[in-house]
Amino acid sequence: MINVQPSNFIEELVLNDIETKGLKEIITRFPPEPNGYLHIGHSKAITVDFNVAKKFNGRCNLRFDDTNPVKEDVEYVESIKEDIRWLGFQWDELRYASDYFDRLFEIAVDFIKKDLAYVCDLSAEEIKEYRGTLNKPGKNSPYRDRTIEENLDLFYKMKEGAFPDGSKVLRAKIDMASPNINMRDPIMYRILRATHHRTGDKWCVYPMYDYAHPMSDAIEGITHSICTLEFEDHRPLYEWFVNHTDFEIKPRQIEFARLQLTRTIMSKRYLKKLVDNKSVSGWDDPRMPTLSGLRRRGVTKEAIADFCERIGVAKSNSTVDAGLLEYCIREDLNKRATRAMVVLDPVKVVLTNFDAEEYLELENNPQDASAGTHKIPFCNEIYIEREDFKIDADKKFFRLKPEGYVRLKGAYIIKCETYEIDEQGNVQVIYCSVVKNSKSGHDVSGIKTKAVIHWVPVKYAVDVQVRNYDYLLIDGDEDKDFSERMNPNSLKIIDNAKAEPFILQSKPQDKYQFLRLGYFNTDYLSSRDKLIFNSIVSLKDSKGK
Ligand code: ATP
Ligand code: MG
């Protein structure tokens, strides 16, 4: 008996296998195809694969499932490694399915020798036609009864390049009448002259996923091959391949539900399209649900871990509200983001009775006393948000209005005396007086205010660029094709936002809460000369409003 509390059905199955099959070590793998960058859905699979291994003191390999040379690239291999490390996981061994090409070929030869595989000359269309449908059994290929000798000869010749692409395939000899279409003599090998990112032009035959995957698992000694539900129907085939080989460890396939998130594209193929047609700036565009995009946006790995924990692991598909991910991001950033004041749409306020200059103190994070404070200069001209001043304000408007009072964060209460507007009616400047004895923390003025607004001193204001991001997809219509749901307003750039001088210290990836505005991340491209901030998430759930 081992002393482990399973926390989901996968861990229960694994525990049961340990107890009934006497497995000595648990080995799992995360098997991405290097045909794109990882997205938030992959983080669920990564978390499951690595955590199951960890829980049972086992190992987890990273294996690149690189059996399709046409779509794969080293750029993707590198990004996948970086993303997994960023999430905080470390693989035990780094493997490539392409490392096994020789071995996979030999095993296929064994299948032929056992009369369990044959070379078939039907065209792709004919194979499809012969396969039948869900209601109609398939029929045997006329090439199914080739002798073992003939099959061996043809298979070697396929490898040597004797036949054109697509002219022959190697098929498993199973059952053309099986109710499971995957069992109707699936293809094991195809002829394809394509340069592979690791093996170059060595091969002109490549194994198919359904064959390569179980065999790669078996070669590596994987005990539990965890994958997503769309492979459930492939499990009998997985077992067929595994059970017709002599590997000591017979890996077991376990499926769980894919992560689906509202308003989120979860397909590498489609994400690649957005990159290729320049709808986004790249795989790491902060709007992308890729791990590199989320990282650049400012989402932390702790928020992703919390999210993966909360969604759990289930056996049936469901769609998670993107609001849950936002919630996890907000919870985490609240604990770690530095508070700062930034005005996005500035209007100038002149403080008519104040001509001193003084330094005030602002808490870096009220949630964390150890974060300390920073200084902000206060002088007779400040910027406030244009929308924090209203001329024809009703009683419910508690911010600045003519004759009204409002508190400036960390500073004083001010009273609006007068203002100037231009010909279009836009406010040009507001004149206020500072209320005596109203300094924050020492307020004995007796004046009550119902709102606190943020501000930035004009003299010391720093120009920053703020990039406000929204979802790539518009809300609703989850069933519609992505292309019909693109959000035309997913990026708004604000070029001359005004920030307090403290912001000059920021380095790429530093995270802030801009008071009253939301959470922001310092972009990779940000520098002292051009400060750039990416919006991460709002302060509150906007859906609740
Ligand atoms: P995509 O359809 O986005 O290209 P994929 O399944 O083809 O995804 P792979 O590189 O084959 O991507 O995935 C590696 C592993 O990640 C697989 O085990 C796969 O099941 C898992 N995975 C992919 N997408 C999700 C998801 N949305 N939720 C959970 N696991 C996922
Ligand atoms: Mg795939």
Side-chain angles (χ1 to χ4, degrees):
M1 278 291 281
I2 60 166
N3 194 17
V4 167
Q5 271 307 317
S7 56
N8 56 49
F9 78 95
I10 296 177
E11 294 179 2
E12 271 166 30
L13 289 175
V14 172
L15 182 61
N16 187 57
D17 280 352
I18 293 174
E19 287 170 352
T20 58
K21 296 186 194 161
L23 292 175
K24 288 194 196 70
E25 188 181 24
I26 296 305
I27 309 181
T28 61
R29 85 288 168 266
F30 173 64
E33 185 181 356
N35 61 352
Y37 282 57
L38 297 182
H39 50 62
I40 180 78
H42 290 108
S43 64
K44 176 175 180 182
I46 293 169
T47 304
V48 172
D49 291 328
F50 280 90
N51 283 351
V52 167
K54 191 171 160 204
K55 188 131 188 183
F56 294 95
N57 246 326
R59 288 185 282 153
C60 181
N61 293 344
L62 168 59
R63 180 173 74 236
F64 288 103
D65 236 325
D66 55 351
T67 54
N68 184 4
V70 184
K71 292 184 182 159
E72 297 159 2
D73 198 273
V74 277
E75 176 195 348
Y76 302 135
V77 168
E78 292 311 315
S79 75
I80 290 170
K81 290 199 254 180
E82 187 183 349
D83 288 346
I84 297 173
R85 284 197 206 101
W86 175 64
L87 288 177
F89 294 105
Q90 181 55 56
W91 51 89
D92 286 277
E93 285 176 51
L94 177 61
R95 301 291 189 102
Y96 295 84
S98 57
D99 289 343
Y100 308 140
F101 280 167
D102 284 293
R103 197 67 198 283
L104 293 170
F105 187 85
E106 285 164 25
I107 299 170
V109 167
D110 287 341
F111 272 93
I112 297 175
K113 287 182 180 163
K114 290 180 191 161
D115 202 19
L116 293 173
Y118 62 96
V119 173
C120 181
D121 299 5
L122 291 180
S123 68
E125 256 150 56
E126 288 166 325
I127 287 181
K128 201 169 158 210
E129 191 194 312
Y130 274 65
R131 186 168 287 141
T133 62
L134 277 177
N135 317 314
K136 203 176 96 193
K139 38 179 196 176
N140 285 353
S141 158
Y143 303 98
R144 202 175 198 261
D145 293 324
R146 277 177 164 155
T147 63
I148 293 175
E149 289 66 34
E150 193 183 355
N151 281 320
L152 285 174
D153 179 55
L154 290 171
F155 190 47
Y156 280 111
K157 283 189 175 139
M158 278 168 67
K159 178 191 176 191
E160 275 146 27
F163 309 115
D165 284 10
S167 61
K168 286 183 178 11
V169 291
L170 182 73
R171 299 176 70 175
K173 198 187 265 191
I174 310 180
D175 178 7
M176 289 306 290
S178 170
N180 183 336
I181 293 183
N182 294 307
M183 301 297 275
R184 296 183 189 168
D185 291 8
I187 298 173
M188 293 168 67
Y189 268 89
R190 58 188 169 146
I191 306 173
L192 177 69
R193 283 167 179 82
T195 305
H196 188 278
H197 69 104
R198 297 189 77 239
T199 58
D201 293 319
K202 177 176 173 193
W203 294 90
C204 66
V205 289
Y206 288 96
M208 303 300 287
Y209 177 89
D210 276 336
Y211 166 69
H213 199 84
M215 294 301 98
S216 302
D217 283 343
I219 291 170
E220 263 167 61
I222 300 301
T223 54
H224 295 86
S225 179
I226 303 164
C227 64
T228 37
L229 270 181
E230 70 272 22
F231 293 105
E232 197 172 19
D233 289 346
H234 297 237
R235 191 183 340 128
L237 179 56
Y238 184 101
E239 288 170 354
W240 188 89
F241 279 125
V242 164
N243 290 333
H244 285 94
T245 56
D246 312 321
F247 290 99
E248 200 185 323
I249 301 274
K250 304 270 190 259
R252 169 178 186 176
Q253 176 177 308
I254 304 174
E255 310 88 16
F256 68 94
R258 266 179 115 74
L259 170 66
Q260 301 175 128
L261 260 185
T262 57
R263 305 188 76 175
T264 306
I265 299 168
M266 212 76 92
S267 137
K268 277 185 282 184
R269 198 171 50 86
Y270 200 88
L271 293 173
K272 182 168 189 311
K273 228 188 229 176
L274 296 181
V275 174
D276 290 345
N277 70 20
K278 304 213 158 35
S279 300
V280 293
S281 64
W283 285 96
D284 69 349
D285 186 298
R287 291 167 291 180
M288 292 281 270
T290 51
L291 295 178
S292 54
L294 292 166
R295 179 162 68 237
R296 182 168 178 186
R297 179 89 175 251
V299 173
T300 60
K301 61 179 186 193
E302 289 83 0
I304 293 177
D306 181 30
F307 175 71
C308 287
E309 163 115 28
R310 282 169 194 273
I311 55 177
V313 187
K315 242 189 286 199
S316 59
N317 279 319
S318 64
T319 301
V320 176
D321 194 309
L324 180 64
L325 178 59
E326 284 193 17
Y327 171 84
C328 297
I329 298 169
R330 211 176 271 129
E331 286 287 292
D332 183 62
L333 291 174
N334 188 31
K335 287 181 264 171
R336 69 175 75 240
T338 305
R339 274 53 173 176
M341 294 204 280
V342 173
V343 174
L344 296 181
D345 183 13
V347 62
K348 200 198 270 185
V349 174
V350 175
L351 302 172
T352 51
N353 62 345
F354 193 88
D355 50 17
E357 232 182 78
E358 74 177 288
Y359 279 88
L360 303 172
E361 226 164 64
L362 217 60
E363 276 178 299
N364 286 334
N365 188 345
Q367 306 292 316
D368 175 8
S370 73
T373 61
H374 68 267
K375 294 216 173 348
I376 174 168
F378 185 76
C379 27
N380 69 338
E381 285 186 347
I382 58 171
Y383 291 118
I384 65 169
E385 294 291 350
R386 190 164 283 280
E387 62 170 31
D388 282 338
F389 176 67
K390 211 167 177 180
I391 298 172
D392 301 310
D394 62 18
K395 276 194 178 150
K396 284 193 189 137
F397 187 84
F398 298 121
R399 291 166 281 162
L400 198 62
K401 53 190 169 189
E403 314 264 302
Y405 293 88
V406 76
R407 171 167 292 286
L408 298 174
K409 173 71 190 173
Y412 297 89
I413 296 173
I414 56 171
K415 180 187 180 203
C416 174
E417 306 290 353
T418 171
Y419 56 88
E420 283 171 16
I421 50 173
D422 64 13
E423 281 154 15
Q424 286 79 43
N426 297 316
V427 176
Q428 293 295 82
V429 55
I430 306 164
Y431 296 95
C432 294
S433 55
V434 173
V435 172
K436 292 229 159 52
N437 298 321
S438 68
K439 190 169 176 175
S440 286
H442 309 275
D443 182 7
V444 288
S445 68
I447 304 242
K448 296 262 176 296
T449 53
K450 283 198 171 154
V452 181
I453 63 173
H454 59 279
W455 55 277
V456 164
V458 171
K459 187 171 163 191
Y460 298 99
V462 176
D463 280 341
V464 301
Q465 186 184 80
V466 172
R467 299 178 178 174
N468 271 328
Y469 295 108
D470 195 357
Y471 288 90
L472 280 171
L473 300 181
I474 50 175
D475 206 359
D477 288 332
E478 290 292 330
D479 298 330
K480 266 199 196 156
D481 189 75
F482 298 138
S483 59
E484 292 172 49
R485 295 178 59 206
M486 294 305 291
N487 175 5
N489 301 313
S490 56
L491 168 61
K492 282 193 191 126
I493 296 184
I494 299 170
D495 251 318
N496 291 305
K498 305 288 182 188
E500 59 167 302
F502 173 61
I503 211 79
L504 281 168
Q505 299 177 9
S506 76
K507 299 181 304 302
Q509 290 295 59
D510 281 353
K511 289 159 185 63
Y512 292 92
Q513 183 192 100
F514 291 166
L515 291 185
R516 299 178 61 229
L517 297 178
Y519 292 100
F520 292 81
N521 189 39
T522 317
D523 192 71
Y524 291 158
L525 302 176
S526 182
S527 68
R528 235 183 127 89
D529 300 331
K530 185 172 186 201
L531 289 154
I532 305 172
F533 297 93
N534 298 319
S535 71
I536 312 171
V537 70
S538 59
L539 288 176
K540 289 196 186 110
D541 180 3
S542 54
K543 269 197 176 164
K545 276 186 197 162

